[in-house]
Amino acid sequence: MKHVKDRMYSVKSTARVGCTYTLTCPVCGKTLTTTPSEEGVKHVSCDTDSCGVVIGYKAIRVTGVNVVSPQSKNGMLEWGGIISRNRYVLRLGKNVVGRKDKDMPSDVEIDDPDAYVSRQSFEIFVCVDDEGGYRFILSVKRLTNPLYLNGNQKIVGESMDLKFGDVIQVGSVKLKLKESKK
């Protein structure tokens, strides 16, 4: 990180659109996160009362997805029965999964009163990997009931990579990560 002028810094490396980055404020040490949604010169500001540091960076969009990569297609979550099959195509960035709740809405809402799914249970973060394919990262956020990945119990705060075919079970609901057709 390069100091530009009073309370202004710049990052030399570029950021990819849709990926989340963590920075440390060079003045107060606070952890800052940013997820650029479009290309261009961007900034993240430290909101600590006495700090006010601004860090600038350049965001780029990576194109030309490598179809040879095993994670080259965008993913989709699929759950439910044969008649009531639900699908959600994951988008770049954060995709929050949880029980349907008007006060804490999720991107993927599980609307089954018998499911025992917490509000905003977990998220799947999608970004472009170094090989030009997609990377899927599951982060467990909050749970009343256990979350299982391929039968192995996970705990709040855990993060792990997903691959196509993985099954996430929370409460009585099983969600499968599949390749989307788009």
Side-chain angles (χ1 to χ4, degrees):
M1 193 172 312
K2 180 181 172 188
H3 183 253
V4 179
K5 62 181 184 178
D6 187 41
R7 303 216 182 264
M8 293 186 76
Y9 294 80
S10 69
V11 177
K12 185 176 181 178
S13 59
T14 57
R16 290 182 177 187
V17 170
C19 290
T20 299
Y21 295 88
T22 303
L23 305 164
T24 302
C25 176
V27 173
C28 70
K30 181 178 179 179
T31 300
L32 309 170
T33 58
T34 184
T35 306
S37 60
E38 57 187 27
E39 291 181 303
V41 176
K42 305 293 176 194
H43 71 276
V44 61
S45 301
C46 184
D47 59 2
T48 306
D49 292 336
S50 61
C51 186
V53 162
V54 176
I55 302 170
Y57 64 93
K58 183 177 180 182
I60 60 169
R61 183 172 306 279
V62 177
T63 59
V65 175
N66 177 4
V67 294
V68 177
S69 169
Q71 302 274 34
S72 65
K73 296 192 178 183
N74 202 2
M76 165 177 73
L77 287 178
E78 188 174 80
W79 71 98
I82 295 170
I83 297 172
S84 61
R85 175 91 41 204
N86 296 286
R87 291 180 179 93
Y88 178 85
V89 176
L90 298 167
R91 64 178 188 273
L92 283 174
K94 183 169 53 170
N95 298 268
V96 178
V97 182
R99 174 179 82 227
K100 185 173 184 174
D101 186 289
K102 65 179 172 99
D103 295 327
M104 288 181 77
S106 297
D107 301 307
V108 181
E109 293 185 327
I110 308 298
D111 189 17
D112 180 346
D114 299 323
Y116 302 107
V117 177
S118 299
R119 296 182 291 175
Q120 299 188 344
S121 294
F122 63 94
E123 70 182 38
I124 297 176
F125 189 81
V126 181
C127 65
V128 178
D129 66 18
D130 292 336
E131 298 168 4
Y134 289 102
R135 182 176 177 202
F136 305 95
I137 305 163
L138 170 78
S139 297
V140 183
K141 295 299 177 192
R142 60 175 7 163
L143 297 172
T144 302
N145 294 295
L147 180 141
Y148 296 91
L149 176 61
N150 299 324
N152 298 311
Q153 187 172 347
K154 302 300 175 185
I155 60 171
V156 172
E158 246 184 302
S159 291
M160 68 269 345
D161 281 299
L162 296 175
K163 62 187 180 313
F164 295 126
D166 282 346
V167 176
I168 304 158
Q169 181 175 348
V170 58
S172 62
V173 176
K174 291 183 180 181
L175 303 105
K176 187 172 188 174
L177 179 63
K178 299 177 83 173
E179 284 187 53
S180 68
K181 304 292 186 222
K182 65 186 259 198

